[in-house]
Amino acid sequence: MNNLKNLRGTVDLLPVQLIKWQNVEKILFEQLARASINEIRTPILEMTELFIRGIGEGTDVVSKEMYTFVDRGDRSCTLRPEGTASVARALIQNQILSNHPIQKLWYMGPMFRYERPQAGRQRQFHQLGVEFIGYDSVRSDVEIIALAWDILSKLGIKELNLEINTLGDTKDRANFQKSFLKWLEINKDSLDLDSQNRITKNPLRILDSKNFQTKKALKNAPRLFDFLSEKSHSRYSDLKKQLDFLKIPYVENFNLVRGLDYYTHTAFEITSGALGSQATVCGGGRYDDLIKQMGGPNTPAIGFAIGLERLILLAGKELEVPRNTDIYIINQGLIAESLAMDLSRKLRNYDLIVELDLSGATFSKQFKKANKLKSKSIIVMGDNEAAKREFLIRLFDQSGDENKEEVISFDNDIKLENWINKNLLAN
Ligand code: HAM
């Protein structure tokens, strides 16, 4: 057993780390509920074909990063690298769109990409995704961007930068691609090798190359922006106007093309200066053609996904604090132990965190444990108390000094409830 390890790029999330995850998730769930968005859960494992058709064969995700295998039934399966294609498939397959053409959905869970692991980049990572299905107005673009922005702000994340771009529609991009390909043929030698390889596979992606030499050469390349139709232009300026109105600061980045093929019009990313090289915490955009391309009805849509590992790195230390135990039950002796068990079940119905000490250790050891846990209060039940069917309940203050205490009969629920309301639930 001693050589068994987890796979590279995957991590165990241990209880101490999960306190922060759970606190962050709680805030996320509240924000999503407040924005009236419903959850959807799709399988982690899908047919490989879904991602080839949905994300695009020439993308890095599909061509280099997928965890693909043939199952025992000879089907090619893939661990999902993202959630948008799965959501689109689920809506089409379950014929949801004919009765509910407009949907606001979210999902959260593990995604898999075979990338080189580093801080903020894993092979199994987690995303919170939000998809607005059936929405085509610029207002829905603004709502989606504002939602992502507000979620990150609500978590107290600083140094956020929003970058936006427009990719136009399919026709705009085809027009641009013609002249971009001509330029690429002539200027091939000024590009890095990776970008040269992309010319035939996925030329648009060359635009967001991080290579210095390529970036310099691209300054003289044709710009997608100049090939946009009148309609696409006005859509984009509307978006900027509405973001200005909401005072959401943004930077335009004409080279932002995103790594997945399904995008049309609005594309955006939110980065944080507080992260290292993997600075993008949120990425998203519009995908008006995806659902139709996958065999569904013509359905415009827009969405984003937040990388949870990066979000956790950015979220503040205050979210690492666990909720304290409300009542720690110190108990010893045969009858006392049974009564204490009964009492712990009753107390949990009051929405309190109750820990029943099961150690059978001495009172003083159990006291120490309660103190260490910073329990807000303790109940003491020994055989003396048990014989009288009563227990002692005592409040600890912040410093661990005991103050208010009371003896309550095991059968006096009203007195117990009053004590809890006054001392534990009042604030
Ligand atoms: P994406 O940009 O590929 O978009 O991923 C979204 C976010 O997931 C990234 O910004 C990053 O925070 C996180 N992420 C991606 N790869 C990794 C990794 N290897 N390790 C850790 N975090 C990672 C999408 O996936 C689209 N489905 C978003 C979308 C939804 N567009 C429209 N709707």
Side-chain angles (χ1 to χ4, degrees):
M1 270 303 275
N2 32 4
N3 286 332
L4 284 181
K5 281 189 177 167
N6 62 326
L7 285 167
R8 188 165 135 80
T10 68
V11 299
D12 298 313
L13 290 171
L14 302 173
V16 274
Q17 292 155 322
L18 281 172
I19 291 165
K20 191 170 187 186
W21 278 76
Q22 286 170 349
N23 284 333
V24 167
E25 282 167 9
K26 189 162 172 265
I27 295 173
L28 294 176
F29 295 152
E30 281 166 5
Q31 288 290 97
L32 292 162
R34 284 182 191 132
S36 202
I37 304 173
N38 296 314
E39 186 182 2
I40 182 166
R41 295 187 194 183
T42 61
I44 289 174
L45 200 55
E46 294 269 8
M47 307 269 271
T48 305
E49 184 70 19
L50 169 66
F51 303 114
I52 296 177
R53 276 175 57 192
I55 301 174
E57 205 158 12
T59 59
D60 281 355
V61 171
V62 170
S63 64
K64 298 186 198 160
E65 297 170 1
M66 294 211 299
Y67 275 90
T68 296
F69 62 94
V70 176
D71 76 1
R72 288 169 199 272
D74 237 5
R75 285 170 288 250
S76 178
C77 307
T78 295
L79 288 170
R80 64 179 181 195
E82 60 105 52
T84 310
S86 304
V87 169
R89 180 205 48 71
L91 294 175
I92 299 168
Q93 187 182 335
N94 294 290
Q95 295 171 347
I96 306 280
L97 295 166
S98 41
N99 285 332
H100 305 278
I102 285 177
Q103 307 252 348
K104 290 184 179 177
L105 300 169
W106 67 266
Y107 50 87
M108 189 185 279
M111 308 286 160
F112 304 83
R113 296 185 192 176
Y114 195 87
E115 294 188 86
R116 197 169 49 77
Q118 62 183 86
R121 190 162 75 193
Q122 292 171 192
R123 290 181 175 167
Q124 178 180 336
F125 60 99
H126 298 78
Q127 279 186 349
L128 162 68
V130 176
E131 313 289 356
F132 283 8
I133 309 289
Y135 290 85
D136 69 350
S137 69
V138 177
R139 270 154 49 92
S140 59
D141 299 35
V142 177
E143 195 189 1
I144 220 75
I145 294 175
L147 184 72
W149 187 261
D150 291 345
I151 282 177
L152 298 171
S153 310
K154 182 88 188 168
L155 283 163
I157 295 169
K158 309 239 161 48
E159 295 180 59
L160 290 177
N161 308 298
L162 166 66
E163 290 188 4
I164 60 167
N165 190 20
T166 176
L167 304 174
D169 59 20
T170 325
K171 221 161 131 203
D172 300 338
R173 271 203 311 282
N175 288 338
F176 164 72
Q177 195 142 314
K178 259 188 246 153
S179 92
F180 189 43
L181 280 174
K182 267 190 212 143
W183 182 90
L184 288 169
E185 267 322 305
I186 301 165
N187 295 278
K188 194 173 171 187
D189 295 339
S190 5
L191 307 179
D192 64 287
L193 217 64
D194 216 25
S195 297
Q196 288 185 17
N197 288 333
R198 284 197 164 126
I199 295 178
T200 46
K201 282 197 214 136
N202 198 351
L204 261 190
R205 258 341 286 275
I206 297 173
L207 289 177
D208 76 351
S209 164
K210 304 282 176 284
N211 182 278
F212 178 73
Q213 178 197 342
T214 302
K215 269 168 107 172
K216 200 169 145 205
L218 282 173
K219 287 202 175 123
N220 302 314
R223 289 191 322 171
L224 171 57
F225 193 74
D226 300 325
F227 288 78
L228 297 183
S229 67
E230 193 72 21
K231 214 169 138 208
S232 303
H233 263 298
S234 95
R235 194 174 200 292
Y236 184 59
S237 26
D238 257 9
L239 171 75
K240 290 192 289 180
K241 262 189 227 146
Q242 293 189 34
L243 287 174
D244 289 338
F245 182 77
L246 293 183
K247 299 199 172 58
I248 297 179
Y250 58 85
V251 174
E252 291 177 80
N253 175 358
F254 292 132
N255 292 331
L256 181 79
V257 291
R258 311 266 303 122
L260 314 159
D261 276 358
Y262 48 63
Y263 290 112
T264 51
H265 296 293
T266 306
F268 67 97
E269 285 188 355
I270 303 177
T271 57
S272 167
L275 283 170
S277 61
Q278 298 306 307
T280 311
V281 62
C282 172
R286 181 160 279 288
Y287 50 97
D288 288 346
D289 302 330
L290 177 69
I291 295 176
K292 185 151 185 230
Q293 264 168 23
M294 284 174 47
N298 198 359
T299 310
I302 182 163
F304 67 77
I306 290 177
L308 292 186
E309 279 73 12
R310 297 181 193 178
L311 190 63
I312 299 290
L313 284 173
L314 290 169
K317 285 229 173 291
E318 69 286 355
L319 291 162
E320 288 167 20
V321 182
R323 186 178 148 188
N324 283 356
T325 308
D326 293 303
I327 305 181
Y328 192 94
I329 306 182
I330 295 168
N331 59 118
Q332 205 191 49
L334 214 57
I335 309 168
E337 282 172 9
S338 316
L339 285 177
M341 176 80 76
D342 206 7
L343 186 60
S344 70
R345 295 174 67 208
K346 194 187 322 186
L347 288 167
R348 287 191 188 119
N349 288 334
Y350 291 98
D351 198 18
L352 296 170
I353 301 180
V354 180
E355 183 157 347
L356 174 67
D357 193 310
L358 293 175
S359 68
T362 59
F363 274 136
S364 80
K365 276 200 180 135
Q366 294 191 41
F367 266 115
K368 272 192 198 135
K369 183 83 194 293
N371 214 350
K372 202 167 153 210
L373 279 178
K374 297 200 174 70
S375 179
K376 289 181 201 150
S377 65
I378 50 162
I379 279 178
V380 183
M381 213 181 218
D383 276 341
N384 284 346
E385 287 85 2
K388 290 190 247 164
R389 284 186 71 79
E390 62 187 28
F391 54 85
L392 178 82
I393 188 161
R394 181 188 281 174
L395 195 67
F396 275 67
D397 78 4
Q398 292 301 79
S399 60
D401 294 336
E402 56 230 60
N403 40 45
K404 287 180 229 171
E405 69 174 45
E406 200 143 1
V407 173
I408 299 180
S409 154
F410 195 80
D411 306 301
N412 193 344
D413 286 352
I414 294 174
K415 194 169 176 191
L416 175 63
E417 199 167 318
N418 284 341
W419 193 92
I420 289 170
N421 280 334
K422 196 166 112 216
N423 294 298
L424 296 176
L425 299 176
N427 38 36

